[in-house]
Amino acid sequence: MKRLRLCIVLLGMLGLFVGLSPVGAQAQKAAPAGTVNIAISTLHEETFLPWNGGGPRKFYLDNIYEYLFYVDPATGKAIPGLAKKWKVSPDGKTWTFTLRKGVPFHEGWGEVTSADVKYSIEQIVDPKSVVGPAGQMRKLIAKVEAPDPYTVVFQLTRADAEFDFGYMGNSMCAPICCKKYVETVGDEKANAHPIGTGAYTLTEYKKGSSMTFTTVKDVEKHWRVTPKFKTIKILAVPEEATRVAMLKAGEVDLAPISYDSVDTVKASGLHILPGSFWAPLIRFGGIVATDPKRYIPNIPWAKKEVRQALNYAIDRDAIVKNIFHGSAVPSFGSISSPLWNDIPAYPYDPEKAKQLLKQAGYPNGFKVTLKVFTTTPGAELPLLGQTAAMYWQNIGLDVTVIPTDWGTVRSEWSGGKMVPDYVWTHRGLYWSSLNSGLMVETTSKTPFSSYATKESEALFDKMATELDAKKRAKLAVEMGEFLREEAFCVGLVHAYEPHGVSKKITAWPTNVLYPNNLDQLK
């Protein structure tokens, strides 16, 4: 229950608590019928192979593909998916998965075998892959073996007690594709007409506008879930006001909305369900100290005192009240973990912030560029950026806010073409595996690191390779306290993104990391 404490608090703030159930636990017996229309702010890269785009595409990719494991929302642990059982070697470096037999790919492309798993993972970790976890998976996975059609063996470079749900589960971006299909038709055609094992297939796509998914033939016999709705149509609607208007007019049945719109949506006779958990924050560019290519030693926030000052300058309680309408809790960082529940956010203390700036050699502040953009979730990020800029100006900084898009910042941050000499709004997520989340953000092992030092790398390696759960939990607390002291980012709050929902939908047992599981809308 401790794992759910923060989740329950936030759900209570939204005035609801939906039953979160394991995958397939509420499978429908009746044949799917009708259409559910969904509006989201962006369709992201609009690509359909796991390795040619980022994680937020899971919102639609997870209709098509499935995973070796799923994460049980109630426990945060792995439950069987395409892998029905698994075992790990005593040293934590060899994981052996036994696949479920007879799971068919769409359109007669055969059943899932170990060759498909090996191929899918090797494509994801290929140097050309741009999916989010590719970097850390390259560092972690030494080899994938397929000794027989239903056995897959992963040889790791180091021990990882959370490899199953941390990398192979639906909280990450490693779904299983059909090797024969992709190799037969090629990446371009496989991307245009994706083949998976999920309950839906892509039946219509209008670039920049919409995607339509329809249940596969004989979906009532699907091994995992029989959806309620025969058709899911996802529309790109960037403007939040337009999404709210469409909800009220009955043009869409589900859409992410701002906290400002919750009351008006409820007043229209609609209801609110939580989508994914998210943690808005501000990241620092140029402070991956263990990688000279990503480190700018003379940038002001290379000094811990400056980073701490920028944290003390922000009134998180005011942000919770005025932007999130009380439906959030202050946070010191980007990752939510029950192990970190007792680590406090930075208090609002502008005088201390000024003292720290003076101590660091910036009594008159300095110039800083803050880039802002929206994500899914993350409609509030530009407003949060403007708010942070106001607080920083109050302690003497000269802040320039530049609106941009996530794709631009993503390529500058992770593409290796430049070291960002600016700061930017972003969103952290609820990582089912703390090991995975920390490896991404706080080690130089990945292209998406935004902070790393020799000490943080050593602490991470000690924690991530510890196989004893109690000892690993203690080390995780030490890591959290260290990151808070180091002010590795400007954490703001932890929250759920509210979704307006029509009366057609009564429940959505979504995973807290990504708002996926559309096949389980009720």
Side-chain angles (χ1 to χ4, degrees):
M1 291 303 294
K2 186 178 180 183
R3 177 177 292 273
L4 283 177
R5 187 171 72 186
L6 179 60
C7 300
I8 293 172
V9 167
L10 291 171
L11 288 167
M13 289 176 174
L14 282 173
L16 52 108
F17 183 65
V18 227
L20 300 176
S21 61
V23 171
Q26 299 183 18
Q28 299 286 326
K29 294 182 179 180
T35 298
V36 60
N37 294 299
I38 301 172
I40 60 176
S41 62
T42 173
L43 298 176
H44 301 283
E45 291 94 338
E46 301 186 45
T47 53
F48 298 94
L49 288 174
W51 47 85
N52 63 7
R57 298 174 306 147
K58 283 171 59 63
F59 190 84
Y60 47 85
L61 290 189
D62 286 7
N63 296 319
I64 303 167
Y65 301 108
E66 294 180 308
Y67 296 81
L68 292 179
F69 301 96
Y70 285 83
V71 175
D72 184 342
T75 65
K77 299 299 183 182
I79 55 177
L82 295 174
K84 66 178 182 179
K85 61 181 181 179
W86 59 100
K87 62 181 180 180
V88 59
S89 61
D91 66 0
K93 295 173 67 174
T94 301
W95 287 75
T96 302
F97 303 142
T98 302
L99 301 182
R100 194 180 300 273
K101 294 182 180 180
V103 177
F105 284 108
H106 304 157
E107 301 179 9
W109 282 94
E111 67 171 331
V112 176
T113 69
S114 57
D116 300 301
V117 176
K118 175 178 167 66
Y119 174 78
S120 298
I121 302 305
E122 287 177 347
Q123 293 302 304
I124 287 169
V125 302
D126 186 273
K128 296 187 296 294
S129 171
V130 296
V131 71
Q136 64 263 37
M137 289 174 69
R138 288 185 202 112
K139 300 285 187 179
L140 180 61
I141 298 172
K143 184 177 9 176
V144 186
E145 300 170 316
D148 66 59
Y150 302 106
T151 303
V152 185
V153 180
F154 286 81
Q155 302 289 351
L156 306 185
T157 58
R158 62 165 175 79
D160 190 329
E162 299 176 351
F163 178 70
D164 48 358
F165 62 91
Y167 290 96
M168 298 294 106
N170 65 316
S171 61
M172 267 293 206
C173 311
I176 305 306
C177 299
C178 179
K179 178 179 187 289
K180 181 180 178 181
Y181 174 67
V182 179
E183 290 188 335
T184 299
V185 305
D187 273 33
E188 185 175 351
K189 289 185 178 179
N191 182 73
H193 183 64
I195 292 291
T197 60
Y200 288 91
T201 186
L202 179 68
T203 51
E204 185 179 52
Y205 164 51
K206 296 180 180 179
K207 185 173 177 60
S209 175
S210 66
M211 301 172 179
T212 302
F213 302 85
T214 305
T215 50
V216 297
K217 184 180 179 181
D218 297 326
V219 72
E220 296 87 347
K221 299 177 183 178
H222 193 274
W223 73 272
R224 184 177 56 85
V225 60
T226 299
K228 174 182 177 180
F229 297 102
K230 183 175 181 61
T231 304
I232 295 174
K233 186 169 185 178
I234 300 176
L235 306 168
V237 184
E239 302 81 10
E240 194 264 349
T242 304
R243 295 196 298 273
V244 170
M246 293 175 76
L247 278 167
K248 291 181 176 180
E251 296 172 8
V252 297
D253 302 295
L254 185 151
I257 61 174
S258 73
Y259 293 84
D260 288 340
S261 297
V262 167
D263 289 342
T264 185
V265 168
K266 285 182 177 179
S268 299
L270 305 174
H271 55 283
I272 308 296
L273 289 178
S276 61
F277 178 94
W278 72 298
L281 71 148
I282 297 172
R283 297 194 188 277
F284 298 107
I287 59 169
V288 184
T290 50
D291 182 353
K293 294 180 180 179
R294 292 185 281 173
Y295 186 56
I296 306 174
N298 60 348
I299 209 162
W301 50 85
K303 295 183 177 181
K304 177 174 71 173
E305 293 83 2
V306 171
R307 300 195 301 271
Q308 290 176 331
L310 298 184
N311 272 277
Y312 279 115
I314 293 178
D315 188 343
R316 291 163 181 78
D317 290 332
I319 288 173
V320 168
K321 178 181 178 181
N322 297 312
I323 296 179
F324 291 89
H325 294 242
S327 298
V329 293
S331 165
F332 78 91
S334 59
I335 299 174
S336 171
S337 169
L339 297 171
W340 291 358
N341 281 348
D342 296 326
I343 301 177
Y346 275 80
Y348 179 48
D349 193 339
E351 291 306 313
K352 186 167 185 175
K354 292 176 183 177
Q355 292 170 10
L356 286 166
L357 287 180
K358 184 177 180 180
Q359 181 181 331
Y362 298 98
N364 300 313
F366 52 85
K367 292 183 178 181
V368 57
T369 297
L370 170 59
K371 295 192 176 183
V372 299
F373 49 86
T374 61
T375 59
T376 303
E380 288 80 13
L381 286 178
L383 175 58
L384 288 166
Q386 294 285 353
T387 302
M390 176 194 70
Y391 283 122
W392 288 348
Q393 287 164 353
N394 289 342
I395 61 167
L397 270 62
D398 182 357
V399 187
T400 300
V401 178
I402 299 179
T404 184
D405 61 89
W406 163 229
T408 298
V409 173
R410 186 183 196 269
S411 64
E412 293 175 350
W413 177 14
S414 64
K417 297 178 182 178
M418 64 172 289
V419 182
D421 58 355
Y422 55 84
V423 301
W424 64 95
T425 55
H426 197 220
R427 52 96 181 96
L429 297 170
Y430 186 108
W431 292 86
S432 55
S433 164
L434 186 58
N435 286 1
S436 303
L438 287 173
M439 186 175 185
V440 171
E441 297 191 18
T442 63
T443 77
S444 58
K445 297 176 174 66
T446 77
F448 289 100
S449 176
S450 57
Y451 165 85
T453 64
K454 289 182 179 179
E455 188 173 1
S456 73
E457 299 259 17
L459 283 170
F460 170 79
D461 288 339
K462 187 176 181 181
M463 178 197 75
T465 57
E466 176 56 63
L467 299 180
D468 183 275
K470 290 184 178 180
K471 292 179 180 178
R472 191 167 67 253
K474 183 178 179 181
L475 291 168
V477 172
E478 291 179 15
M479 184 77 177
E481 291 173 341
F482 171 82
L483 292 173
R484 196 264 188 194
E485 171 65 19
E486 285 289 299
F488 76 111
C489 71
V490 179
L492 297 174
V493 303
H494 286 165
Y496 276 96
E497 182 180 41
H499 284 65
V501 182
S502 76
K503 293 180 180 179
K504 187 185 292 185
I505 298 171
T506 58
W508 183 21
T510 183
N511 161 331
V512 295
L513 178 54
Y514 281 106
N516 51 7
N517 294 356
L518 294 179
D519 55 14
Q520 293 189 58
L521 286 169
K522 307 300 180 191

